[in-house]
Amino acid sequence: MKISSKSVRVKLDRIDKSIIQHLQANGRMQNNDLAREIGLSPSSCLRRVKLLEEAGVIQNYTTVVDPQKIGLQLILFSRIWLVGQDAETIDTFIEAMKELPQVMECYIILGECDAMLKVVVPDLESYRKFQSTHLTKKNGITSVKTDLPSQIIKQSFQLPLDDL
């Protein structure tokens, strides 16, 4: 692994990619098993994983939970228009969204709207309350359009490394 001079882009070699692919598929994989799968000694494998973590390539280990199995029945996408494009408005919006556990993902968008949210709630009434409480002018929002997907076709947390 080579880190660029700006430490923004990390150059991954074949072994780094293999480590990441295996850990994306199974983040609970034991180091000995990972080392065996990619053909390294356990100490070399652990060193490589630590370097990927330190470089920020591997940011976190998490558990993916099925929201419907725990009562979060609705996934909604909210397109957001802000009251302005100034730094203060955008910063206010960003900080507010970071604090809301219902907001699973938040993106500032170049295009028709200013931002896009992925929101998870138990039901439509919960979303109505969430929207009227949090997606308001106090958080820099002027308009919200919400889309409700009818079916999830694909949801992945694994980045495609073959094209790198």
Side-chain angles (χ1 to χ4, degrees):
M1 172 178 50
K2 293 181 184 175
I3 301 175
S4 73
S5 61
K6 293 183 181 179
S7 295
V8 174
R9 164 94 189 209
V10 176
K11 179 74 174 154
L12 303 175
D13 65 16
R14 177 188 57 78
I15 295 171
D16 294 328
K17 289 178 186 178
S18 184
I19 289 170
I20 294 167
Q21 287 172 324
H22 281 84
L23 289 176
Q24 282 186 135
N26 179 5
R28 295 183 70 183
M29 181 177 263
Q30 297 293 318
N31 184 62
N32 287 340
D33 296 332
L34 178 60
R36 186 174 43 259
E37 286 288 325
I38 60 174
L40 288 178
S41 69
S43 61
S44 293
C45 182
L46 185 58
R47 183 182 59 79
R48 288 239 187 188
V49 170
K50 294 292 183 197
L51 285 171
L52 289 166
E53 291 170 348
E54 290 169 8
V57 173
I58 297 175
Q59 294 181 349
N60 197 2
Y61 297 91
T62 190
T63 301
V64 178
V65 177
D66 183 334
Q68 293 188 343
K69 297 228 168 131
I70 62 167
L72 296 170
Q73 301 297 318
L74 288 181
I75 297 172
L76 302 115
F77 295 93
S78 299
R79 291 173 286 139
I80 306 294
W81 284 262
L82 298 175
V83 296
Q85 298 295 317
D86 59 285
E88 184 179 346
T89 299
I90 293 169
D91 289 346
T92 297
F93 169 76
I94 289 170
E95 291 309 311
M97 295 306 106
K98 285 180 179 179
E99 297 298 318
L100 298 172
Q102 300 90 336
V103 176
M104 300 299 295
E105 298 176 35
C106 177
Y107 303 93
I108 299 297
I109 301 292
L110 301 175
E112 181 184 347
C113 62
D114 296 315
M116 176 78 70
L117 306 178
K118 178 181 177 183
V119 178
V120 179
V121 291
D123 52 40
L124 203 51
E125 178 61 20
S126 297
Y127 179 74
R128 187 196 66 72
K129 288 178 185 174
F130 169 81
Q131 182 176 345
S132 64
T133 303
H134 301 291
L135 304 184
T136 63
K137 285 191 173 146
K138 76 176 180 180
N139 289 328
I141 298 170
T142 188
S143 182
V144 177
K145 304 290 183 209
T146 302
D147 297 309
L148 174 65
S150 62
Q151 183 179 11
I152 298 172
I153 305 300
K154 179 180 179 183
Q155 186 175 28
S156 177
F157 301 97
Q158 297 181 18
L159 296 174
L161 300 178
D162 294 336
D163 297 335
L164 299 177

